[in-house]
Amino acid sequence: MSAKRVLVTGAGGFIGHHLVTHLVRAGHWVRGADQKQPEYAASDADEFLTADLRDPANCLAATAGIDEVYHLAADMGGIGYITAERAAIARNNTLMNIGMLDAACASGVSRFLFSSSACVYPHHLQTSADVVPLREDDAWPAQPEEGYGLEKLFCEKMCQYYSSDRGLPTRVVRFHNVYGPLGTYDGGREKAPAAISRKVAGTPDGGEIEVWGDGEQTRSFMYVSDCVEGIYRIMRSDYELPLNLGTDEMVTVNELVDLVAAVAGKTVRRRHDRTKPQGVRGRNSDNSRLREVLGWEPKMTLAEGLRPTYAWIEKQVLATQDAPRPSLVPA
Ligand code: NAD
Ligand code: GDD
């Protein structure tokens, strides 16, 4: 495959940062764009544009001279953040997404990948912990997660319209909960694997941690290296409709806590707080179509992926114990 000039938006964030490294290693010239530099490690991008992508002029500057766009920039976080900041999330992401689609057309890019989410799936299909894995076609008729999920579903459709009406080749990827080193682990935007790892790292052997809900809610979690490999494979494919990208290894949150504790070599007691945000009761990915299209699916088990994740978070927690980092969530 010939080397491309590639743009990764959200290159200052968790998945975008790992994706930049993956693309540079694959031989591409990469421009990263984000309103901030990566927090925990320098970017491998050949060029980094620090800019607010809600401004259409910045979207144009980001896409100038670019062959392929991986659009990952988003105002996002775990269930605590996305249920607390619906107006900001829906507004910021809609502005960014439309600006990026217009700029991609104006700059003549040859492919545009949009990072959607499992949060597009209807609430009524996720009311049981023993959930039926979600297939791509389940997204309609729609009843997505308020704010964040609705905005993702809207942009999925915008990709379809920009493809059919304006000739922009698009790819749409629905990520299921992604974790790994260099992911947000504190400040209010963290997701369950990072939050639980931080809590376990900060408690002594035999201690107690707070777990949101009764812990019997279910999810599947995807390690970040599988995520970036999947993104790359989907971009290279000819498939234009939305595709799940996740694992189908479903666990309860209590099982997640036990796995993290085992990696840490600690015994941990769980204190369940049922007043905290819990999101859907159960969620799992049906990977049939992903396997059909790519002949590939994520392979890292949760037990394997938690080892490097926990090791990295434990190191951060120990390093910042005396100097807590500021909250990332607006007051
Ligand atoms: P992240 O928060 O680490 O990265 C997103 C980046 O977007 C951040 O660096 C942020 O600064 C940047 N951004 C936000 N607003 C911006 C703006 N106005 N201008 C420029 N940059 C801006 O999140 P992530 O986990 O790396 O997620 C990447 C993408 O994947 C997002 O689109 C997210 O919605 C999607 N996604 C992630 C998950 C997951 O589990 N991590 C699950 C589903 C979907
Ligand atoms: N964040 C967090 N922190 N969640 C916790 C905690 C904790 O300390 N303890 C238990 N949980 C539970 C939550 O109550 C929820 O039921 C489950 O763990 C998963 O929470 P998150 O990882 O925060 O989010 P999610 O899976 O509901 O949704 C996430 O994944 C989507 C894609 O699958 C979000 O990050 C979305 O933004 C993302 O699109």
Side-chain angles (χ1 to χ4, degrees), residues 7-12 31-38 43 45 47-55 57-59 61-62:
L7 169 68
V8 177
T9 73
R31 177 183 295 149
D34 201 299
Q35 62 190 357
K36 66 172 175 66
Q37 293 281 331
S43 178
E47 193 176 286
F48 199 100
L49 175 68
T50 308
D52 185 342
L53 295 173
R54 289 172 301 182
D55 180 342
N58 291 334
C59 297

Side-chain angles (χ1 to χ4, degrees), residues 39-269:
E39 260 170 86
Y40 313 114
S43 178
D44 290 324
D46 295 281
E47 193 176 286
F48 199 100
L49 175 68
T50 308
D52 185 342
L53 295 173
R54 289 172 301 182
D55 180 342
N58 291 334
C59 297
L60 270 177
T63 53
I66 289 295
D67 300 318
E68 297 184 351
V69 174
Y70 294 82
H71 177 43
L72 272 66
D75 187 356
M76 78 86 66
I79 195 66
Y81 181 72
I82 64 171
T83 50
E85 293 293 339
R86 289 182 177 129
I89 288 171
R91 178 180 187 277
N92 293 338
N93 293 344
T94 303
L95 289 174
M96 249 189 289
N97 295 341
I98 292 175
M100 284 303 303
L101 281 164
D102 282 340
C105 289
S107 300
V109 313
S110 58
R111 285 181 193 197
F112 182 96
L113 181 142
F114 174 61
S115 51
S116 186
S117 165
C119 286
V120 300
Y121 285 114
H123 180 78
H124 65 86
L125 297 179
Q126 304 173 83
T127 53
S128 156
D130 187 20
V131 65
V132 175
L134 296 156
R135 291 174 297 114
E136 285 79 358
D137 295 343
D138 290 334
W140 297 92
Q143 191 192 15
E145 176 73 39
E146 290 283 352
Y148 175 73
L150 181 61
E151 162 271 312
K152 290 286 190 192
L153 197 58
F154 172 65
C155 191
E156 288 193 358
K157 277 288 173 193
M158 290 297 276
C159 288
Q160 183 191 321
Y161 305 150
Y162 273 64
S163 171
S164 61
D165 298 2
R166 301 189 178 178
L168 177 69
T170 56
R171 306 283 182 273
V172 173
V173 191
R174 292 179 184 154
F175 300 153
H176 289 249
N177 207 318
V178 187
Y179 70 99
L182 310 183
T184 304
Y185 67 93
D186 66 356
R189 291 182 189 251
E190 62 278 15
K191 292 177 268 64
I196 301 293
S197 296
R198 186 198 72 232
K199 291 175 186 182
V200 169
T203 207
D205 189 16
E208 183 177 85
I209 65 161
E210 179 191 274
V211 176
W212 297 358
D214 65 4
E216 291 305 311
Q217 61 272 47
T218 52
R219 294 291 187 277
S220 70
F221 299 101
M222 168 170 54
Y223 190 65
V224 67
S225 61
D226 276 334
C227 179
V228 296
E229 185 173 350
I231 293 172
Y232 189 57
R233 285 173 182 259
I234 291 168
M235 183 65 121
R236 299 267 58 81
S237 79
D238 292 328
Y239 197 75
E240 285 230 342
L241 296 174
L243 265 184
N244 279 332
L245 184 57
T247 77
D248 52 13
E249 180 194 357
M250 190 171 80
V251 296
T252 65
V253 169
N254 286 333
E255 286 167 340
L256 170 69
V257 174
D258 292 346
L259 282 169
V260 173
V263 168
K266 294 181 182 179
T267 303
V268 171
R269 282 175 290 114

